[in-house]
Amino acid sequence: MSQNPKISIRGLTKVFYKKQHSVMALENISLDINEGEFVCFVGPSGCGKTTLLRILAGLESQSSGGFTIKKSGQQRPSQSMVFQEKGVFPWMTVAENIAFGLNMRQLPQSYVKERTNYFLVKTGLSKFADMYPKELSGGMKQRVSIARAFANDPEILLMDEPFGALDEQNRFILQEELLSIWTETKKTILFITHSIDEALYLSDRVVLMSAQPGKIVDEVEIKLPRPRKLHDIRSHPEMTVAFLQIWRHLQGEVQNARQEDERRM
Amino acid sequence: MKKIQNPVENEKKEWQKQKKQQTRKTWLTIFSPVFLLLIWQILAQLNFIDARFFPPPTAIISTFQELLISGELVHHVSISLFRIFAGFFLGVLPGVFLGLCMGLYAPIRHFLSPIVMALMPIPTLALLPIILILFGIGEVSKIVTIAGSVFFPVVINTVAGVMSIDSTYLDVAKNYGASRKDFFFQVAFPGALPVMLEGIQMGQAIALLTIVAAEMMGARSGIGYLIWSSYSAFLLKEMFVGLILISFFGYIFSLMLKMLERKLLPWR
Ligand SMILES: Nc1ncnc2c1ncn2[C@@H]1O[C@H](COP(=O)(O)OP(=O)(O)O)[C@@H](O)[C@H]1O
Ligand SMILES: [Mg+2]
């Protein structure tokens, strides 16, 4: 691990307390992420991935432990989140949605316009700038969500299964576009996914999490050179090994969870 | 196989056909009240209904003309419209404001909800005697009566509108650092607006119901007074002029609000 990580998470724990019982959603998460790194989080459903991102996004507070996001000195927000669905305001046009973060920061209108236009072009949304989201497909809406996050120019980007609700075709296209914007902006990205293929294609490193309580149990480095082709992850022998490693982990976790449930009954 | 092979031409034909159908539907809508009046006219002339109680539309129209020329009608209508508009705004504006506050701030909501809930079932008209004592028999008492009955559906729908905003939007606003003011104007208000407008529609309907009743009970002018005084004097043609005017204004007001809604909610 590097000496000077962009994000440093130490002993992060989150307990949800409800009447009678509490749920340990995250237990003692410690992790360093480098500047410009693309990290995917994979784990069984309910293992606390969303909770982890929401804590980093300031939408939830941790029960103990902490994290720091290194500032690059400029007037930048520390993070921006891309939500899975419904993250785009239906009452704002595409352009207004993309400009949202910039407008919230009271930046000069000329700058907001310039940046918004840049990302409209970048995500192929120029033609739709003045349309409302109801006229857009699911893939288009996620493009808006991604453009809004990048336009905001944060230190890091948090993405919670942004392509989870898309069909395969659209998912491939958006993954490629995301990689292209990432290559250009060199942002640090934390990305949650259910799809092993997606994790292999996108990330520098895959973090494997265990079912409740959510812990980091393993990491897999993805050394496949960039720019990557989608079929590389099928043809490359190293990728097959990585795929199996992640797959076995997920299988194991799912089985553990099932046994745990049976024991409780 | 279609005979014409030009696909654009085909679609154009299809589009024109749909356009024609749309026009036909519009005509049906316009024709339906005319149809009702026509039936009424025929039945009255054939003496199937008693013309003393249901004077034929033509007779009502000539009475309408007489009232219009004498200036009596303009007087009643303008005073009623003034009361409706003043009362409507006096009910809607605080209703929207209080509703937003209640929706956004839980302590305010928890404190005010029981009061709103307890007061809502009381018809404002039942309070008219008290309102008359408090505000006298002048214009203010009528305006307050209307405002009181418009207020409740607006408050309740505005609160419901704020509560109906998907929590993801609140998360996005927070994540992107929206200030209190930006959150209010860019997220809470537009997000609550559709349900809020439903409440305002309801308020408009209630305002019309209330004005007629209020003018029947405690006024010397207005459409409600015209209806009531004509009825008392057995001037049924005059009474029907009043009734038809109310239905006309109700129709116009809901059309206006529908247009306003389309203007305010282009994203729907
Ligand atoms: N607001 C909340 N209140 C109570 N429990 C919660 C809340 N959010 C998440 N949890 C619980 O925490 C655990 C982790 O949830 P989550 O982070 O959504 O998992 P994932 O995103 O990996 O599927 C789950 O058991 C979930 O039920
Ligand atoms: Mg999740």
Side-chain angles (χ1 to χ4, degrees):
Chain A
M1 243 170 245
S2 93
Q3 299 297 312
N4 196 5
K6 182 77 180 169
I7 309 167
S8 164
I9 305 170
R10 287 290 172 272
L12 202 72
T13 299
K14 176 70 185 178
V15 177
F16 285 108
Y17 189 85
K18 281 188 237 162
K19 51 179 177 187
Q20 309 301 333
H21 72 284
S22 57
V23 177
M24 175 85 81
L26 294 171
E27 187 178 15
N28 205 16
I29 302 279
S30 293
L31 183 70
D32 282 342
I33 292 167
N34 292 327
E35 175 93 56
E37 202 177 1
F38 199 131
V39 179
C40 277
F41 291 78
V42 174
S45 186
C47 75
K49 305 181 293 292
T50 296
T51 305
L52 176 62
L53 248 60
R54 285 178 64 83
I55 291 172
L56 295 176
L59 297 172
E60 204 97 60
S61 54
Q62 66 268 33
S63 310
S64 67
F67 66 91
T68 53
I69 299 169
K70 198 183 72 185
K71 279 277 190 185
S72 58
Q74 284 160 289
Q75 279 275 336
R76 281 198 180 134
S78 66
Q79 45 72 30
S80 295
M81 184 137 165
V82 176
F83 295 82
Q84 179 170 16
E85 267 182 294
K86 292 204 208 142
V88 176
F89 295 115
W91 51 84
M92 294 181 195
T93 62
V94 167
E96 286 166 349
N97 263 294
I98 295 177
F100 183 70
L102 302 167
N103 280 331
M104 291 304 103
R105 286 158 57 205
Q106 328 285 344
L107 296 171
Q109 276 311 301
S110 57
Y111 176 76
V112 172
K113 222 176 150 60
E114 182 197 313
R115 256 192 103 69
T116 305
N117 280 335
Y118 179 79
F119 280 96
L120 276 168
V121 173
K122 198 91 215 127
T123 47
L125 289 167
S126 298
K127 269 195 293 183
F128 308 98
D130 296 323
M131 284 191 186
Y132 287 98
K134 70 163 178 194
E135 296 172 78
L136 304 183
S137 67
M140 296 284 211
K141 282 186 206 160
Q142 279 316 70
R143 279 194 180 86
V144 177
S145 223
I146 289 169
R148 177 176 63 195
F150 274 98
N152 203 27
D153 195 23
E155 299 285 352
I156 66 166
L157 277 138
L158 306 168
M159 304 195 169
D160 188 358
E161 299 190 44
F163 308 145
L166 303 183
D167 60 77
E168 210 171 33
Q169 203 61 39
N170 259 307
R171 195 154 57 211
F172 289 153
I173 298 168
L174 265 96
Q175 285 167 356
E176 219 177 314
E177 289 180 5
L178 174 61
L179 280 187
S180 130
I181 304 177
W182 173 69
T183 312
E184 195 183 298
T185 56
K186 278 289 155 218
K187 289 286 169 200
T188 311
I189 298 182
L190 278 69
F191 190 106
I192 295 176
T193 177
H194 263 125
S195 154
I196 303 176
D197 282 335
E198 185 165 81
L200 294 178
Y201 179 52
L202 296 176
S203 56
D204 297 317
R205 179 155 54 122
V206 182
V207 173
L208 304 180
M209 292 178 68
S210 69
Q212 256 178 47
K215 282 189 248 184
I216 295 177
V217 289
D218 207 355
E219 289 182 5
V220 183
E221 297 267 347
I222 311 298
K223 297 204 192 74
L224 198 65
R226 298 179 191 266
R228 294 170 183 172
K229 289 268 163 290
L230 210 50
H231 53 80
D232 288 348
I233 53 176
R234 290 269 185 239
S235 55
H236 214 279
E238 261 183 66
M239 288 303 100
T240 316
V241 174
F243 184 96
L244 281 175
Q245 190 183 349
I246 299 170
W247 190 73
R248 285 203 192 95
H249 161 76
L250 282 176
Q251 282 299 101
E253 284 302 328
V254 170
Q255 252 153 33
N256 281 350
R258 200 173 294 159
Q259 279 163 8
E260 189 75 12
D261 284 346
E262 274 161 18
R263 199 139 30 99
R264 275 195 206 135
M265 284 206 261
Chain B
M1 283 288 273
K2 291 195 173 169
K3 277 210 189 97
I4 307 165
Q5 283 302 326
N6 184 346
V8 178
E9 205 55 38
N10 282 339
E11 288 303 321
K12 195 174 152 193
K13 281 242 161 69
E14 191 60 31
W15 182 80
Q16 282 168 340
K17 212 163 98 191
Q18 277 175 9
K19 197 90 186 157
K20 231 177 240 162
Q21 261 176 9
Q22 205 55 48
T23 322
R24 211 173 297 151
K25 280 179 206 156
T26 313
W27 276 110
L28 275 179
T29 312
I30 295 171
F31 185 66
S32 100
V34 178
F35 180 72
L36 183 73
L37 291 176
L38 207 68
I39 296 275
W40 182 355
Q41 180 76 28
I42 291 168
L43 289 180
Q45 276 184 342
L46 295 177
N47 279 328
F48 277 120
I49 51 175
D50 193 331
R52 282 173 308 169
F53 300 114
F54 298 98
T58 44
I60 296 173
I61 289 169
S62 59
T63 309
F64 174 81
Q65 280 172 335
E66 283 161 29
L67 288 174
L68 198 63
I69 291 162
S70 76
E72 204 182 336
L73 203 61
V74 178
H75 168 68
H76 287 306
V77 167
S78 54
I79 195 86
S80 282
L81 286 182
F82 166 71
R83 288 167 183 159
I84 291 171
F85 279 111
F88 181 71
F89 285 107
L90 206 70
V92 166
L93 295 180
V96 166
F97 177 75
L98 209 67
L100 284 172
C101 290
M102 285 171 72
L104 288 171
Y105 307 109
I108 301 184
R109 179 167 64 250
H110 288 289
F111 182 75
L112 289 181
S113 279
I115 301 176
V116 170
M117 290 302 168
L119 292 180
M120 188 185 58
I122 304 173
T124 328
L125 282 171
L127 298 176
L128 195 57
I130 298 174
I131 293 173
L132 286 173
I133 292 169
L134 284 177
F135 297 99
I137 52 162
E139 289 313 304
V140 181
S141 61
K142 281 111 205 164
I143 292 169
V144 167
T145 310
I146 294 171
S149 26
V150 169
F151 175 77
F152 288 98
V154 175
V155 173
I156 287 169
N157 273 268
T158 305
V159 177
V162 177
M163 309 300 279
S164 75
I165 301 174
D166 194 290
S167 68
T168 310
Y169 301 137
L170 310 184
D171 284 344
V172 175
K174 194 173 174 203
N175 187 245
Y176 284 84
S179 65
R180 203 169 265 255
K181 181 178 135 255
D182 281 329
F183 177 73
F184 195 90
F185 287 107
Q186 306 227 21
V187 181
F189 187 78
L193 198 53
V195 185
M196 200 191 297
L197 282 175
E198 279 170 31
I200 291 176
Q201 292 260 13
M202 245 189 275
Q204 173 265 318
I206 293 176
L208 269 178
L209 295 178
T210 310
I211 186 68
V212 175
E215 286 174 344
M216 281 179 169
M217 288 160 77
R220 302 243 131 252
S221 58
I223 303 176
Y225 171 75
L226 173 72
I227 294 170
W228 181 249
S229 59
S230 310
Y231 168 74
S232 308
F234 209 67
L235 299 168
L236 289 196
K237 279 179 273 188
E238 281 80 353
M239 183 193 81
F240 272 108
V241 170
L243 289 178
I244 290 170
L245 275 175
I246 286 294
S247 116
F248 171 75
F249 282 118
Y251 184 66
I252 293 292
F253 290 159
S254 35
L255 273 189
M256 276 162 55
L257 280 175
K258 276 264 175 300
M259 267 156 59
L260 182 75
E261 187 174 302
R262 232 172 285 157
K263 266 259 173 305
L264 289 176
L265 305 174
W267 51 274
R268 268 266 152 143

